[in-house]
Amino acid sequence: MSVLNSKVPKGPIKDKWTTYKDKINLVNPANKRHIDIIVVGTGLAGGSAAATLAELGYNVKAFCYQDSPRRAHSIAAQGGINAAKNYQGDGDSTYRLFYDTVKGGDYRSREANVYRLAEVSTNIIDQCVAQGVPFARDYGGLLDNRSFGGVLVSRTFYAKGQTGQQLLLGAYSAMNRQIARGKIQMYNRHEMLDVVKVDGKARGIIARDLITGKIERHSAHAVVIASGGYGNVYFLSTNAMGSNATAAWKIHKKGAFFANPCYTQIHPTCIPRSGDYQSKLTLMSESLRNDGRIWVPKNMDDVMAIREGRKKPTDLSEDERDYYLERRYPAFGNLVPRDVASRAAKERCDAGYGVNATGEAVYLDFAAAIERYGKEQAKIHHIENPSKAKITELGEAIVEAKYGNLFQMYEKIVDQNPYKTPMMIYPAVHYTMGGVWVDYNLMTTIPGCYCIGEANFSDHGANRLGASALMQGLADGYFVLPYTIGDYLSDDIRTGPIPTDSKEFDDVEKEVKDRIDFFMNNKGTKSVDYFHKKLGGIMWDKVGMSRNATGLKEAMVEIKAIREEFWKEVKVPGGANEMNPELEKAGRVADFLELGELFAKDALTREESCGGHFREESAEEDGPQKGEAKRNDKDFAFVSAWEYKGEPADAVLHKEELEFKDIELKQRSYK
């Protein structure tokens, strides 16, 4: 085991980034024309990075497995993006955004990275407005804000419930400008299957053309991984079904340490699963918790009556409802952080108060907000003594303006009108705070290999606050990586193009082809999904919202057994030299079957509860915090960075000790 060097600059935290940029090595514009960079993934992080690097003059090759960068999973983000502009005049500041993010991550993130994120957040909004992103505006024309969980201010900029889509179109338009100029070579429908190192440095990738099956070699002076998170290790998640961990896992197996895999976010506001044959789950934006009140019935008789169809939720009076978040966390109410809200929902449902047929749902109710907005609108429009129907009509119009597409999506899926009856929600896997370990420059432990956005571990600690994923992705791509990568590339101005006809490329291409040949020739009897579902079931049951040592040890043994069965029994139909989604899935699930075991090992090693990682053995036993996560700062205030050694169980732990010089380490309380 070693202690990792994060390369955080010296000096006061508010000056670190500015001073660092002032002294960093640069590449002059004429030399940038001779340097190539590969970007894998074209979501918010990869798209913004590719566009900015090309704008600076580098030659960029961008890869995505979708038919267009517009299909990246970033498009699914709904609620908003954080920035400390303080348009509301409610006390926000760079420091408060920094503090909320570190506290929200349960004091398990790197202070310097989070402060830099807060610092550049305001630039992101200006950049996106300049690109034409249609953020919501208030009556006076200023950009509007709403609040998200874990904060006491309104700092979230949004475009209805489709913020991710609008931000991605902004990055995509910036990419298209560079594609037209020839500075970005765009490889759609291409999947990176491995990284190539030459003299220890990342110098290229092996990719597969997903239409023809052709294996291709691509070289560069640096490789940037921006391929998103690994939530689909659970099979069912809110991620797009194609989202995978292959790019990140391949660089891990070539020497990049993988950090904090057990830090996974279970989002509290998702549509409950409807059965065993579902392919994915659907997110309802956290922004809904601004106006929706979460509750379950107080009495078990009412729970059973609702499940059996003898009562409707609207039949219950206020005193028959348990607004449990408002009861348990009066200071933050329904806007507690995601991990807190998810565990509270699980606790109520485990106690038997779940309101749907499976017992895994709570209500998200907008009746009070509709009435409040309706009365307000009646006053604005000088309507004297408005009827209840008029108040409802006016209130629903305001709610529709704020959340209309989300309500429409819910009604299409559940076939219930959420304006008239409360939504049903339940926690689901959503985001991964863990990922590839990177230093302050966003470089992995492989020289020349960078990792940005959700694919790295760096900014969110053990729990991500809502609306911070879009902030991190665009901060890394637009404002951080373009500076830090130049410091590394300044040594490559005389290197010249990297040849692809070397032994290093030969060897890695052979590894890739051998694996594909195995899948095509294996005479198994079971589908890829059969194994993926089995893995997902174990992950959810034993490595899900709450974990214990016994379950984690069992999970490691069971996942290894599934992996061994997979390599004997998997059957991949079709051919290798054609479009073959089953072949794509086989490679991705093979990686998940290794990652899942490391995930459980990491959770077993971390004998504390923090953020999204809840160990049942480590909960507060009494006092006002009874039942809440109990951190162990004495023994676990570090980043777990795992080195690949062949088998997940044999991975070697390296630690990055976390220092808190600007924020006091204390019990996280939202009460």
Side-chain angles (χ1 to χ4, degrees), residues 27 32-33 35 37 53-54 56-60 183 482 485-486 489:
V27 180
K32 285 174 183 159
R33 294 196 294 269
I35 291 180
I37 301 174
L53 292 167
L56 288 171
Y58 296 108
N59 306 311
V60 177
K183 294 303 292 181
I485 201 168
L489 292 172

Side-chain angles (χ1 to χ4, degrees), residues 117-136:
L117 177 65
E119 201 176 343
V120 304
S121 67
T122 55
N123 299 341
I124 297 170
I125 304 304
D126 296 339
Q127 171 96 358
C128 294
V129 169
Q131 290 174 338
V133 173
F135 286 122

